[in-house]
Amino acid sequence: MDLLILGGSKFLGRAYAEAALVRGHHVTTFNRGVSRTDLPGVEAVHGDRTDAADLARLVDGRRWDAVVDTSGQQPHDVARAAELLREHVGHYSFVSSVHAFAHWPAEQVDESSPTHPCDPDLPADQPAANALKAGCERAVLKYFGEQSSLLNCGLLIGPHESVGRLPWWLDRIARGGRVLAPGDPEQQLSLIDARDFAAFGLDLVEQGATGRYVTTAPIGSTSMGELLRACVAATGSDAELVWTPDTVLTAAEVGPWLELPLWTPGADPEWYGTWRTDSSKAAAAGLRIRPLADTVRDTWAWLEAGGRSEVSSLVVGNPLGIDPEKEQKILSA
């Protein structure tokens, strides 16, 4: 197939490009060419998706069987690209997020769950908000309708992770000593390797599948304890995991999700549905999840080989990870 990837050099987009090349597809990537190097084997077109002239140059004289959009964040930008591409592309596969669902993370969601109200024709440069993903979805549907697929991803991990949640845990545990381990080690998690997500997404594109797919690991597929123990094993660390109740962490004003990545207070109803996203439709359609230990091992190998330069320590402008002095103060208490 002739595939266009909007993105294609960073984390999930890179995983799509790598998998597509292995499968023998011709891959065109479109990105600014400033944050990552292009993969060998792709036809790289550099430009800004927010620039009408760059988009026009991209499509001039070209046609693709499908486009995979891994970089759409603003409804305005997705609408502009979709409107221009509808005469040049047969199928539009948009990578959305569970953030698009109106009741996540407080409630369990699936493909039938309502999404946030958000106009696909919003002006450009809206402040970051979960609802924007829902607006992006509507922009795709507006111009491609049934010739599209929407993949609502859960939390992505794996080599080339740019946000840095798993890398933070790996580096913290690699330093050894007593490690503040959050809450209940049996707290369930649903994590998906970006390579597994991309493989499934490409399967759908090759099949011409349409509609919405919640794309993450099955509910209860792993736990916080399994994740942190896998980090200990991958790094060969002498770290001692000190499991600390949610009540202690909350009393110490530890911020869920950010200060101890992936941790959410188990008894807090606002976080109830975080790891209860139902991906059974995707599993029935062929989604396969590799063992968590393999993802953790591969991510550590990538970090040690120089991957840290790709990792951000910020999440929407907020620092990721607990201050070492604050961690030690809680451990000492």
Side-chain angles (χ1 to χ4, degrees):
M1 299 178 70
D2 287 321
L3 299 179
L4 169 64
I5 300 177
L6 301 182
S9 64
K10 184 177 178 181
F11 196 24
L12 182 59
R14 179 190 180 93
Y16 264 101
E18 286 184 326
L21 290 171
V22 168
R23 297 186 187 196
H25 299 308
H26 179 271
V27 180
T28 304
T29 58
F30 180 67
N31 56 63
R32 293 177 300 167
V34 296
S35 61
R36 302 289 188 275
T37 57
D38 298 308
L39 283 174
V42 305
E43 179 186 356
V45 179
H46 291 159
D48 190 332
R49 67 178 298 160
T50 67
D51 188 306
D54 284 354
L55 285 172
R57 176 171 50 84
L58 167 69
V59 304
D60 186 28
R62 297 171 182 263
R63 181 167 179 81
W64 298 271
D65 296 305
V67 55
V68 176
D69 188 349
T70 65
S71 63
Q73 303 293 334
Q74 293 276 337
H76 175 273
D77 300 338
V78 174
R80 171 179 283 178
E83 181 178 19
L84 189 61
L85 286 169
R86 63 179 172 178
E87 301 300 325
H88 300 268
V89 171
H91 179 92
Y92 200 118
S93 179
F94 181 69
V95 177
S96 184
S97 167
V98 292
H99 291 151
F101 293 116
H103 299 146
W104 186 90
E107 298 180 12
Q108 181 174 337
V109 297
D110 60 20
E111 287 80 7
S112 65
S113 299
T115 57
H116 286 285
C118 185
D119 195 318
D121 298 315
L122 285 177
D125 300 323
Q126 297 294 310
N130 287 354
L132 295 180
K133 278 294 189 181
C136 293
E137 293 178 1
R138 292 187 180 96
V140 172
L141 294 172
K142 177 179 178 179
Y143 292 105
F144 275 82
E146 294 184 358
Q147 295 305 113
S148 65
S149 55
L150 307 173
L151 280 69
N152 296 91
C153 72
L155 195 131
L156 294 163
I157 58 174
H160 302 282
E161 181 186 336
S162 51
V163 175
R165 296 182 180 93
L166 176 55
W168 185 87
W169 276 116
L170 282 163
D171 280 337
R172 171 62 194 93
I173 286 173
R175 292 199 301 271
R178 301 177 76 226
V179 175
L180 187 62
D184 182 355
E186 298 305 315
Q187 171 66 51
Q188 64 182 17
L189 302 178
S190 296
L191 308 172
I192 182 169
D193 191 304
R195 296 169 294 181
D196 296 334
F197 186 105
F200 176 66
L202 284 174
D203 288 346
L204 296 181
V205 168
E206 292 167 353
Q207 297 161 12
T210 60
R212 182 188 300 277
Y213 295 83
V214 173
T215 310
T216 191
I219 297 172
S221 56
T222 191
S223 68
M224 183 65 80
E226 289 179 76
L227 174 67
L228 299 194
R229 289 191 294 271
C231 290
V232 173
T235 59
S237 170
D238 64 355
E240 175 192 353
L241 301 176
V242 182
W243 293 100
T244 307
D246 290 345
T247 52
V248 173
L249 298 175
T250 302
E253 299 183 344
V254 176
W257 205 251
L258 287 173
E259 285 194 279
L260 292 174
L262 309 181
W263 169 65
T264 60
D268 189 334
E270 292 186 7
W271 296 95
Y272 173 80
T274 306
W275 306 114
R276 293 178 171 88
T277 302
D278 184 358
S279 60
S280 55
K281 178 183 175 182
L287 174 63
R288 297 293 178 264
I289 306 296
R290 73 189 65 202
L292 176 67
D294 292 355
T295 298
V296 172
R297 181 198 62 225
D298 293 349
T299 303
W300 177 245
W302 161 71
L303 285 173
E304 289 290 89
R308 289 181 182 83
S309 63
E310 299 180 35
V311 179
S312 171
S313 60
L314 298 175
V315 179
V316 195
N318 298 303
L320 185 70
I322 191 169
D323 180 81
E325 290 186 9
K326 183 175 182 178
E327 180 189 17
Q328 289 306 313
K329 183 177 179 180
I330 297 171
L331 287 170
S332 297

